[in-house]
Amino acid sequence: LPGVRATVTVSDSLGTANGSGAAGFGLEVTPYLNASIANARTQGSLSYAMRNFYAHTSDSSDFFVRHDLRASLNSLLIGDWFGVQSSAAIYNTNATIAGGLSADPGASLNNNAVLRTFSVAPYIQGRVGSFATYRTQYRYEQSDTSGNVAAALARASHTVSLNVASGPQFNPWGWGFNSSGSHREYANNRTLSNASAVATLYYAPSAELRLGASVNYLYLEGLTNSDGQSNGWGPGLSVDWTPSRRTTVRGSITRQYYGTSGFLSLAHRTNRFVFGLN
């Protein structure tokens, strides 16, 4: 689906290349292309826009071009058990939080940087009869920027994950095991790693209610508790309750090595509104 969009902005304080604000107008003319594919084995999307800007004030006139690309793909390559996910993006972002922040950095000439990201993630998934389902994945992500976007921007990251869930033969009981670990590489040869593992036992006394108890492990390099530990084990409890098709209640509480973390979500849908509390 190709197209063109145009926007005119009139302001009494239009940002310009020299950083000043003066009365003027801005014009954007952007040809774009959106594409997608969706079938049983492949799902993907592509969005590209060539953003052409002209800004004019009594002090100056500026013309600049910004590219905005977002793409993602998920495809099963061999049978139903081996596939690859990938993504790529090029867009403008605010360079630092200390500068002037823009809701649309692509349209701004100040505090601006180009961010480029790419990721590829092969995975293996399957089922062991009615006993369990599993999925394991490796993900590599690379980031690059034209400026100092943020000190916390990882140049590259490696993530490995494993998820196993029980099959229907255990109903009304169930179990699951989830684990992941990542290694991030930053500028100046600095690296950070983390790892987690959660083993959960579920019991569903009815179709509307599921209760869970878990054992949780967490490791965060660089984040220590008062005892100097950067990892540890802790118990957890969870509840998932759907008393009606319109109402859901979900919550959990977990003892981590650095303290206790909790989560609660309430939602109710009517014919015209959705009410939620998190």
Side-chain angles (χ1 to χ4, degrees):
L1 177 67
V4 177
R5 69 171 182 264
T7 305
V8 176
T9 302
V10 179
S11 173
D12 61 356
S13 184
L14 196 71
T16 56
N18 58 19
S20 64
F25 70 89
L27 172 65
E28 176 186 357
V29 178
T30 298
Y32 63 84
L33 175 68
N34 294 326
S36 64
I37 180 174
N39 56 47
R41 302 186 61 81
T42 302
Q43 304 83 42
S45 65
L46 170 69
S47 173
Y48 171 72
M50 182 179 177
R51 308 184 65 184
N52 302 280
F53 294 95
Y54 174 73
H56 175 77
T57 69
S58 57
D59 297 331
S60 65
S61 296
D62 300 296
F63 174 79
F64 55 99
V65 178
R66 298 283 163 78
H67 301 279
D68 193 308
L69 170 69
R70 320 288 175 109
S72 64
L73 181 69
N74 177 28
S75 182
L76 284 168
L77 300 181
I78 304 176
D80 292 331
W81 63 274
F82 177 75
V84 174
Q85 292 178 318
S86 62
S87 65
I90 301 173
Y91 58 92
N92 287 74
T93 185
N94 293 301
T96 68
I97 61 174
L101 301 182
S102 172
D104 183 6
S108 174
L109 283 167
N110 305 309
N111 190 32
N112 194 276
V114 178
L115 182 63
R116 294 174 287 269
T117 65
F118 169 78
S119 71
V120 59
Y123 60 89
I124 297 174
Q125 62 184 12
R127 178 186 302 273
V128 184
S130 61
F131 179 77
T133 60
Y134 63 88
R135 179 184 173 108
T136 182
Q137 184 172 52
Y138 165 75
R139 177 183 175 89
Y140 172 76
E141 183 170 2
Q142 182 175 322
S143 300
D144 179 52
T145 177
S146 63
N148 182 24
V149 172
L153 177 66
R155 303 294 177 86
S157 65
H158 310 263
T159 303
V160 178
S161 63
L162 171 66
N163 301 298
V164 182
S166 62
Q169 76 175 52
F170 296 95
N171 290 335
W173 294 89
W175 53 269
F177 177 78
N178 303 305
S179 65
S180 68
S182 69
H183 179 77
R184 293 180 172 86
E185 302 169 2
Y186 298 85
N188 302 320
N189 295 321
R190 182 170 178 240
T191 63
L192 283 176
S193 300
N194 65 72
S196 66
V198 180
T200 307
L201 178 66
Y202 299 102
Y203 175 62
S206 67
E208 295 80 21
L209 178 64
R210 187 174 75 165
L211 306 173
S214 62
V215 178
N216 305 265
Y217 171 79
L218 184 63
Y219 162 67
L220 296 174
E221 182 182 358
L223 179 62
T224 58
N225 58 19
S226 57
D227 297 325
Q229 299 171 324
S230 60
N231 66 91
W233 295 87
L237 296 172
S238 63
V239 59
D240 193 330
W241 182 39
T242 308
S244 71
R245 292 191 309 113
R246 296 180 178 274
T247 305
T248 58
V249 180
R250 294 185 175 94
S252 68
I253 185 169
T254 306
R255 175 66 181 176
Q256 306 284 11
Y257 75 91
Y258 56 79
T260 301
S261 62
F263 146 76
L264 179 64
S265 174
L266 311 173
H268 178 71
R269 293 182 292 115
T270 70
N271 290 335
R272 297 181 181 272
F273 298 98
V274 177
F275 302 94
L277 174 65
N278 292 294

